[in-house]
Amino acid sequence: MSSTENAGDASDAPRTTDAPHTAGPTGTAVPAPAPAPTAPALGPAPGAGSAPAPGAVVNGGISFWYAREGLPAPREPLPGDASADVVIVGGGYTGLWTAYYLKKAAPFLRITVLERKFCGYGASGRNGGWLYNGIAGRDRYARLHGHEAAVRLQGAMNDTVAEVVRVAAEEGIDADVHQGGVLEVACTPAQLARLRAFHETELSYGEKDREFHGARETAERVRVADAVGSSWTPHGARLHPAKLVTGLAAAVEALGVTVHESTPVTGIRPKHAVTPYGTVRAPYVLRCTEGFTASLKGQRRTWLPMNSSMIATEPLTAEQWESVGWEGRETLGDMAHAYMYAQRTADGRIALGGRGRPYRFGSRTDDDGRTQAATVGALREVLLRRFPQLAGVGVAHAWSGVLGVPRDWCATVALDRSTGLGWAGGYVGSGVATANLAARTLRDLVQRDSGQSGATDLTALPWVDHKVRKWEPEPLRWLGVHGMYATYRAADRREATTHAAQSSRIARVADRVAGR
């Protein structure tokens, strides 16, 4: 999630009150040269229940995912002016997948990737590890292009989950992938009503293998407190985000792609990617910067950098896991307006995310993911609300990062054939899988434009070349985003206390502010 980073980060775009969500929580969800994070530690998270977690919380240090694996060995920055057939700005999932598929399709292409920090510094190395089939904007695309077009888009996303798993295995990337599907639970009557509507809508988009469960069947999968129902899809997997992105970067280099790190791109124009160390000239310049797009010249209001935060617990004991269940290792979300997303990690922890401080004035982004103490406490409260049996479990790590949010909440992929400039992003937190579909689509768009191939099923999908209006100037952006999330939280509190069977009316106010 650097200015040259892409991918869906953790995310938790707000759910709408009258329609199923289409952009889900892939978590952040943001260089320290040491193998483990070196950010200052916090004490026990405040407001975290009657039994505070023992020990300190490692705060920031990019993300928990690098704490055990260490940071990748640095690659050389751009040494000076250079030329290529394709230059890709951003060393996250979108940029690396695009380089991978282009090089596989046309090995003769000279492809250069430019990354401001290191590959996986941003959302690709900080997200919640949700590889799932959600895509931001599907319902809007159905309204604009027809239901069948949106069904094709959803089918492509279903296939994308399997594609990522396939390539990871083929390239020998051990990313702790477990295909347990995605389980989304409802814990109040209003959430249950939204869940039923969501489930029925997913079926209407062709997802016939989705299952709806009542309270008892839900508890047999995972024992979430107060859960009254759930919807499960097999089109999802848990993974280790940093292992995937570092493995992908190595695979790309092995194919012959040139990757330069510590190389911030300060300007993009037709056939030019400008850096402090030189300019790379190429017929195609592809912007794959997602949540950090606002830091590029002329892009301040293109995609809003939405902040998402996560915590990872200490490893649970066998007895604690017995109390929780979760043997299927599904990725787990809920139907709150300001919802949470979680996974059971390969080393026996719970990694859980949600919205903390949603947006920083002027589209600013942090450096290494340090998270406010109040957000750490709030996320631990969510953990204990969903799993009160884990009151004695400590929080080991907290971090944050940004994801890209377009004004109409629609992910897009595009290539301007008159200039050779392309881009993909605006995933609204669904980027772990969507970045792969975007990359294969960029490959097809470049090959079509260069005469190497014709139109394909991917280039005909409704999100291709979608135009989005810019975000409002400050302070309207800041006021709107913070007001929106304050309203969603208020709606969740009201639904939890009134036990009404309908979504809170005040959430509809936030929907209008959000433009959803």
Side-chain angles (χ1 to χ4, degrees):
M1 290 178 339
S2 72
S3 68
T4 57
E5 164 71 357
N6 59 0
D9 167 285
S11 105
D12 52 1
R15 302 205 189 268
T16 57
T17 57
D18 58 352
H21 73 286
T22 57
T26 58
T28 332
V30 162
T38 57
L42 288 174
S50 58
V57 179
V58 177
N59 192 333
I62 303 171
S63 76
F64 162 76
W65 307 116
Y66 288 110
R68 298 292 293 272
E69 302 303 315
L71 300 181
R75 296 175 173 86
E76 291 297 319
L78 181 71
D81 291 343
S83 63
D85 297 310
V86 180
V87 59
I88 296 170
V89 182
Y93 290 147
T94 306
L96 293 173
W97 279 124
T98 301
Y100 177 85
Y101 286 111
L102 272 171
K103 194 67 172 176
K104 293 282 280 188
F108 58 84
L109 287 177
R110 297 173 302 143
I111 302 172
T112 297
V113 176
L114 303 175
E115 164 58 42
R116 188 185 73 172
K117 293 285 189 176
F118 61 83
C119 292
Y121 172 78
S124 301
R126 308 188 201 196
N127 64 77
W130 275 50
L131 175 69
Y132 91 123
N133 66 340
I135 184 167
R138 184 195 61 193
D139 292 346
R140 188 180 296 271
Y141 286 128
R143 293 193 294 271
L144 292 173
H145 301 279
H147 184 75
E148 288 307 311
V151 169
R152 289 190 287 106
L153 180 60
Q154 184 60 65
M157 282 303 305
N158 296 346
D159 294 342
T160 294
V161 174
E163 171 69 6
V164 173
V165 174
R166 181 192 69 80
V167 175
E170 185 176 282
E171 295 294 342
I173 301 172
D174 182 6
D176 296 339
V177 177
H178 182 86
Q179 289 185 269
V182 182
L183 186 73
E184 305 203 55
V185 301
C187 297
T188 68
Q191 288 185 24
L192 183 60
R194 289 196 294 275
L195 180 71
R196 290 187 185 279
F198 164 69
H199 182 83
E200 291 302 318
T201 299
E202 297 308 294
L203 295 179
S204 76
Y205 282 109
E207 202 176 333
K208 303 305 182 185
D209 44 5
R210 178 174 284 272
E211 300 175 4
F212 189 90
H213 300 305
R216 180 180 60 80
E217 293 170 305
T218 301
E220 290 173 354
R221 284 186 176 271
V222 58
R223 286 182 276 281
V224 175
D226 301 322
V228 292
S230 63
S231 180
W232 176 82
T233 176
H235 301 291
R238 173 216 71 191
L239 55 76
H240 187 300
K243 287 184 177 181
L244 177 61
V245 72
T246 54
L248 183 57
V252 162
E253 278 195 312
L255 290 174
V257 172
T258 300
V259 181
H260 292 299
E261 297 180 330
S262 300
T263 304
V265 172
T266 57
I268 295 174
R269 63 179 188 268
K271 298 181 173 54
H272 296 76
V274 182
T275 84
Y277 309 118
T279 297
V280 181
R281 293 169 173 80
Y284 297 100
V285 181
L286 307 180
R287 190 188 78 224
C288 301
T289 52
E290 232 281 317
F292 282 78
T293 299
S295 65
L296 289 168
K297 183 178 180 181
Q299 303 295 333
R300 178 62 59 88
R301 293 164 55 194
T302 298
W303 291 329
L304 184 140
M306 186 77 76
N307 197 62
S308 198
S309 300
M310 294 196 71
I311 58 172
T313 69
E314 298 169 341
L316 273 61
T317 65
E319 292 75 17
Q320 288 168 330
W321 278 121
E322 176 65 25
S323 73
V324 170
W326 212 346
E327 294 179 2
R329 290 164 174 77
E330 305 90 342
T331 56
L332 178 68
D334 67 14
M335 296 301 293
H337 297 292
Y339 59 87
M340 70 87 181
Y341 50 92
Q343 68 149 283
R344 176 175 175 170
T345 68
D347 63 347
R349 306 168 189 262
I350 294 177
L352 179 146
R355 185 67 68 237
R357 180 184 181 185
Y359 173 70
R360 301 178 71 185
F361 190 87
S363 293
R364 292 175 298 169
T365 57
D366 65 61
D367 291 324
D368 291 327
R370 186 167 178 82
T371 302
Q372 291 180 316
T375 298
V376 179
L379 289 174
R380 188 164 191 268
E381 286 179 349
V382 172
L383 173 71
L384 297 184
R385 187 160 61 247
R386 296 292 176 245
F387 301 106
Q389 64 269 45
L390 301 182
V393 173
V395 173
H397 204 122
W399 70 100
S400 297
V402 295
L403 52 113
V405 180
R407 188 62 184 90
D408 65 356
W409 302 77
C410 289
T412 57
V413 57
L415 177 68
D416 185 337
R417 304 184 73 173
S418 67
T419 64
L421 297 178
W423 60 90
Y427 304 135
V428 196
S430 299
V432 179
T434 312
N436 178 276
L437 179 60
R440 287 182 284 127
T441 306
L442 278 174
R443 171 203 61 194
D444 289 1
L445 290 171
V446 168
Q447 289 202 287
R448 182 183 68 178
D449 184 71
S450 61
Q452 297 174 38
S453 70
T456 68
D457 290 343
L458 297 186
T459 62
L461 291 175
W463 71 324
V464 174
D465 293 331
H466 177 69
K467 300 297 189 296
V468 182
R469 69 181 176 93
K470 292 183 178 296
W471 281 87
E472 291 80 2
E474 296 291 19
L476 296 178
R477 273 203 310 282
W478 189 92
L479 291 170
V481 174
H482 282 265
M484 173 182 69
Y485 274 97
T487 304
Y488 280 128
R489 291 190 183 101
D492 285 331
R493 290 193 297 269
R494 184 173 181 80
E495 290 175 4
T497 55
T498 63
H499 302 289
Q502 293 181 335
S503 296
S504 172
R505 290 183 178 180
I506 60 176
R508 298 183 184 276
V509 175
D511 288 342
R512 287 194 291 271
V513 171
R516 293 171 66 89

